Amino acid sequence: MSEGLSLYDYVGPVPRPSPASLPFWEAARGRRLLIQRSKKTGQFVFYPREISPFGPSDALEWVEVSGRGTVFAFTIAREPTAAHLAGKTPYVIAIVELQEGPHLTANILDCRVEDVSVGMPVEAVFVDISPERTLVQFRPAGAGA
Amino acid sequence: MTLRGQAAIVGLAEYQPRLYSKNATTLGMLADIGHRAIADAGFEPAEVDGLVTEGFTEAPFMAASTVAEYMGLRPAWADVVDHGGATSVAMVNRAAAAIAGGLCETVVCVTAARREERHPARAKVAASSSYKDRTPQGEFDVPYGASGAAFAYAMILNRYRLTYGGATARQLARIAVAQRYNAGANPEALFRDPLTIEEVEASPVVVDPIRKLDMSVQCAGAAALVVASAAKARSARQPAVSILGAGENHTHRSITWAPSLEDTAVKAAADRAFAMAGLRREDMDLRCIYDCYTSTVLISLEDAGFAPKGNGGDLVEERDLRWDGDFPLNTHGGQLSFGQAGIAGGMSLATEAARQLMGRADGRQVRDCGFAFVNGNGGVMSAQSALILGRER
């Protein structure tokens, strides 16, 4: 079947936070999505960084965001793209554009792969993958409880 | 010809050394010290069009792109130097050479070392393996299966079709079929049996919509070139193939930081090369376009200026891409059919262009081959290099 439900059962590399990204991972554990925002430009920045990509005179602050966005780009992996996802095909790899602007990589859960489309509204869902780490994923907006 | 007086050091920055760095990443330190040096020079980051970094364990692959992206730079020229203790000083002469060659004007050279205090009992644990791929891509892309390259190229093709239409399966298959025909004339190619459009379109989808026969095949191999001064070239055995134009463009490392998926970094690299050469696209007798996937070829042909944006599909339908056709492309069979021996795959495009321009492409010689365009494509179409070569006259 192609619901992608099996991606809730994650077995694979566990991301290790850097000093810059620790707030993101701690927030995800608490089911919150925290993204850095440039004080100078107001633009959201993801992935988390130690210094702003807009130059050293800028500062980045953490802001909680809605977790809502749309699919910006995607592909359906019919063969595994990584060893840890063997047996999970087909699955969608997507770039999600959050309402606030930044792009995140994610899979789209709770959805048949054939039903994913660019522009589709999605919302963040949090998947515990280890005692310490929670992965941010996305599913169609309004899907599930 | 000399570097003397062509470039100057105009800014510097340095951390005060301390025995241990607490909670630092090499990437963060490289970016920070680079920005401090740029500020010391009195420049804005946007004025910096070149970057040289050391290699570092956390970024085992494409270190310059990783650092550039972290710094918010999109350099026209970038390099990684790995000469042990000679690295730093060697960076400076490379930056000067790139400047003297007109590839860039303002280069930041960055070095950094993290050092963590380790409990004596763990002193024997090799730190390097635990720090391999501590890049943002390792942290935020790999868990989702966004690793390797194919997924990104599939996303690029999907966005391209959404934006421009075209790049149909049939048009992409024409590229594979033409390159297979070329491989048929090349005894060295890995895959030489004729291919049909129907076979390509019937091959299984790997990452939608990229099919197996749209993809180059990894293999073993090697390739090398010798580049000499114009003066030295006169005493070489082979006819000289002049380097007339060169350009690079480095826009991002992560697919999430692409300025655009469908309008790629190929454009600026090609524009720089053509500007340096003072030649037009129509002057090219041969194009060697990096072909990890058929879609890469189609999109690169457009962005390199051989077809209007959105019309690459029309070009591959209207022109004959075979070595004896009116628009020869990847005459050795390309990586699609010759094979992709890692980085030597990209080199096979350069060796083929050189071979053709030297008149040594027996069995597939392009007639009156005077000029060739060669491109190299790295990452997720995020690192680009372009060359214009000309036959010795």
Side-chain angles (χ1 to χ4, degrees):
Chain A
M1 282 297 279
S2 51
E3 284 106 355
L5 282 170
S6 61
L7 290 175
Y8 280 105
D9 306 316
Y10 182 90
V11 176
V14 177
R16 289 195 294 182
S18 68
S21 69
L22 194 55
F24 170 88
W25 291 109
E26 286 174 340
R29 194 77 183 165
R31 270 76 182 139
R32 293 159 63 227
L33 195 52
L34 224 55
I35 306 284
Q36 287 170 315
R37 183 173 61 195
S38 154
K39 283 189 172 169
K40 186 159 78 174
T41 67
Q43 204 169 316
F44 281 87
V45 172
F46 189 82
Y47 44 83
R49 297 144 181 265
E50 283 158 54
I51 60 173
S52 169
F54 302 116
S57 57
D58 190 20
L60 298 172
E61 56 185 352
W62 289 101
V63 175
E64 181 165 2
V65 297
S66 64
R68 302 187 79 91
T70 57
V71 171
F72 174 78
F74 75 99
T75 182
I76 301 168
R78 300 254 175 219
E79 288 181 21
T81 55
H84 71 278
L85 290 168
K88 304 280 192 184
T89 57
Y91 54 87
V92 168
I93 308 169
I95 298 174
V96 170
E97 181 168 291
L98 295 181
Q99 260 175 10
E100 296 83 357
H103 287 182
L104 277 66
T105 309
N107 304 116
I108 307 298
L109 276 50
D110 296 337
C111 181
R112 292 186 321 144
V113 295
E114 295 79 17
D115 292 339
V116 176
S117 61
V118 171
M120 185 173 112
V122 291
E123 63 190 17
V125 62
F126 300 90
V127 179
D128 295 330
I129 64 170
S130 82
E132 285 164 354
R133 202 68 59 233
T134 299
L135 212 58
V136 175
Q137 290 283 23
F138 286 83
R139 67 184 174 203
Chain B
M1 222 176 2
T2 174
L3 281 185
R4 179 180 165 163
Q6 301 241 42
I9 296 172
V10 294
L12 58 94
E14 195 158 26
Y15 286 164
Q16 179 180 20
R18 48 203 198 287
L19 279 182
Y20 301 107
S21 54
K22 213 170 145 57
N23 260 352
T25 62
T26 314
L27 187 53
M29 291 169 75
L30 288 167
D32 184 60
I33 202 69
H35 274 300
R36 286 172 191 271
I38 293 167
D40 185 68
F43 294 149
E44 290 298 317
E47 295 179 74
V48 175
D49 60 353
L51 166 79
V52 195
T53 179
E54 57 172 285
F56 54 108
T57 320
E58 293 94 316
F61 187 56
M62 299 190 75
S65 294
T66 305
V67 174
E69 181 178 89
Y70 209 88
M71 290 183 73
L73 300 180
R74 295 206 155 113
W77 178 82
D79 209 358
V80 182
V81 183
D82 179 27
H83 294 329
T87 296
S88 300
V89 174
M91 283 180 171
V92 178
N93 80 52
R94 275 155 182 73
I99 290 164
L103 294 172
C104 54
E105 192 170 20
T106 312
V107 182
V108 63
C109 305
V110 293
T111 59
R114 189 185 28 81
R115 190 155 177 261
E116 293 193 356
E117 196 161 2
R118 270 182 277 143
H119 192 275
R122 291 193 348 215
K124 282 201 184 134
V125 172
S128 62
S129 60
S130 67
Y131 279 95
K132 256 211 190 111
D133 200 4
R134 294 294 303 273
T135 56
Q137 296 74 43
E139 196 177 341
F140 295 104
D141 291 341
V142 170
Y144 303 102
S147 58
F151 80 92
Y153 286 80
M155 286 185 180
I156 288 168
L157 177 55
N158 282 330
R159 286 283 318 179
Y160 175 94
R161 284 177 172 173
L162 206 70
T163 308
Y164 296 107
T168 63
R170 186 159 207 87
Q171 289 165 344
L172 296 175
R174 278 181 64 87
I175 294 168
V177 168
Q179 291 191 196
R180 180 62 67 89
Y181 172 89
N182 292 340
N186 181 3
E188 313 279 288
L190 206 49
F191 303 106
R192 303 185 60 208
D193 294 336
L195 199 57
T196 64
I197 288 179
E198 290 69 35
E199 283 173 304
V200 179
E201 289 190 46
S203 61
V205 174
V206 176
V207 272
D208 203 284
I210 295 180
R211 295 178 181 274
K212 201 172 188 78
L213 289 172
D214 286 313
M215 304 171 72
S216 60
V217 176
Q218 292 292 315
C219 61
L225 295 173
V226 174
V227 181
S229 71
K232 182 78 177 171
R234 285 181 219 126
S235 61
R237 186 196 318 189
Q238 303 300 341
V241 171
S242 263
I243 292 153
L244 301 173
E248 285 181 15
N249 192 24
H250 304 266
T251 53
H252 57 287
R253 178 75 188 95
S254 308
I255 194 71
T256 51
W257 271 92
S260 164
L261 291 189
E262 57 267 35
D263 300 326
T264 74
V266 169
K267 184 177 191 314
D271 287 348
R272 286 173 182 136
F274 276 104
M276 186 186 285
L279 291 169
R280 305 160 309 161
R281 273 66 176 181
E282 311 88 90
D283 294 325
M284 300 298 109
D285 302 300
L286 169 67
R287 291 133 295 265
C288 288
I289 304 288
Y290 197 91
D291 58 334
C292 37
Y293 308 98
T294 49
S295 50
T296 320
V297 177
L298 189 149
I299 294 171
S300 297
L301 277 170
E302 292 180 358
D303 289 343
F306 292 101
K309 191 63 192 171
N311 286 96
D314 295 337
L315 181 149
V316 306
E317 279 187 345
E318 288 158 12
R319 307 298 295 271
D320 185 350
L321 276 49
R322 296 175 296 180
W323 67 266
D324 47 359
D326 67 351
F327 196 81
L329 182 117
N330 294 353
T331 50
H332 62 312
Q335 297 174 101
L336 288 169
S337 283
F338 177 77
Q340 182 179 57
I343 301 299
M347 189 64 106
S348 79
L349 272 62
T351 57
E352 179 65 4
R355 202 179 276 115
Q356 288 281 2
L357 291 167
M358 287 174 177
R360 295 165 67 183
D362 296 340
R364 58 183 193 273
Q365 181 65 52
V366 171
R367 273 200 304 179
D368 295 323
C369 193
F371 296 110
F373 174 84
V374 188
N375 93 307
N377 158 66
V380 294
M381 295 198 80
S382 48
Q384 298 295 334
S385 53
L387 269 186
I388 292 167
L389 305 173
R391 178 180 68 201
E392 170 187 73
R393 292 178 186 276

